[in-house]
Amino acid sequence: TSDQETLTMVLVEDNPRDAVLFRRAMQRARDGIEVAHASTGEAGLVLLENETNRFDLVFLDLNLPQMSGLAVLKRIKSQVYLRGMPVMILSGSEAPGDVEEAYGNFATGYMVKPTTLDGYDELAGFVVRSWFGIMKMPSTRT
């Protein structure tokens, strides 16, 4: 990130319970993590495509109402000013075809959605270790 004190992300997730677990785990993991939540792919794109918003990272569910997570991923990666943004798929699906299709459309990574609080804490710990630690990121768009 451009400044290692904060990490601003978008979570595109239609399940309110999963969204709450994700946000709370991120808050427990480290100060300075802000999560904007969109419950549909369309709402996620509204956040991302508004050039006054600056995000470092996207977590995207594949199974969304109306516009699928894969369609959202394709749209993000088709736009020059969004293309470099890391998009992590966070899906309940472990299907090899879903994994291959996500990476084939330039997903940064693919994670299976945790089913426990400990699993969410582990995910948040990974984010902190990666994005505040070893991962080198481009500066956020201007």
Side-chain angles (χ1 to χ4, degrees):
T1 58
S2 59
D3 110 37
Q4 287 299 103
E5 298 307 306
T6 62
L7 182 70
T8 306
M9 62 179 80
V10 175
L11 171 66
V12 184
E13 169 59 68
D14 62 318
N15 182 317
R17 179 182 171 274
D18 289 343
V20 167
L21 290 173
F22 180 93
R23 178 178 272 135
R24 288 185 179 161
M26 291 300 167
Q27 289 169 342
R28 283 193 301 274
R30 190 184 195 282
D31 288 338
I33 296 179
E34 297 170 19
V35 180
H37 173 234
S39 56
T40 66
E42 295 87 341
L45 286 169
V46 167
L47 285 173
L48 291 164
E49 292 175 346
N50 178 341
E51 293 189 46
T52 62
N53 291 336
R54 288 195 174 84
F55 298 104
D56 301 303
L57 180 60
V58 178
F59 277 88
L60 178 61
D61 187 12
L62 287 181
N63 187 18
L64 296 167
Q66 290 110 32
M67 185 179 208
S68 73
L70 192 63
V72 174
L73 176 64
K74 288 177 180 179
R75 172 95 161 256
I76 291 168
K77 295 303 179 178
S78 74
Q79 298 184 56
V80 172
Y81 70 98
L82 291 176
R83 188 173 294 154
M85 185 174 302
V87 180
M88 300 294 293
I89 302 301
L90 185 60
S91 176
S93 170
E94 295 185 54
D98 287 343
V99 175
E100 287 172 27
E101 199 164 18
Y103 281 114
N105 284 283
F106 310 106
T108 305
Y110 192 107
M111 300 175 166
V112 175
K113 201 181 289 183
T115 56
T116 64
L117 275 176
D118 283 349
Y120 275 96
D121 285 336
E122 192 177 321
L123 174 99
F126 167 79
V127 169
V128 168
R129 286 189 308 276
S130 300
W131 270 268
F132 286 102
I134 57 176
M135 197 80 75
K136 182 69 181 149
M137 300 294 296
S139 59
T140 51
R141 57 192 154 114
T142 54

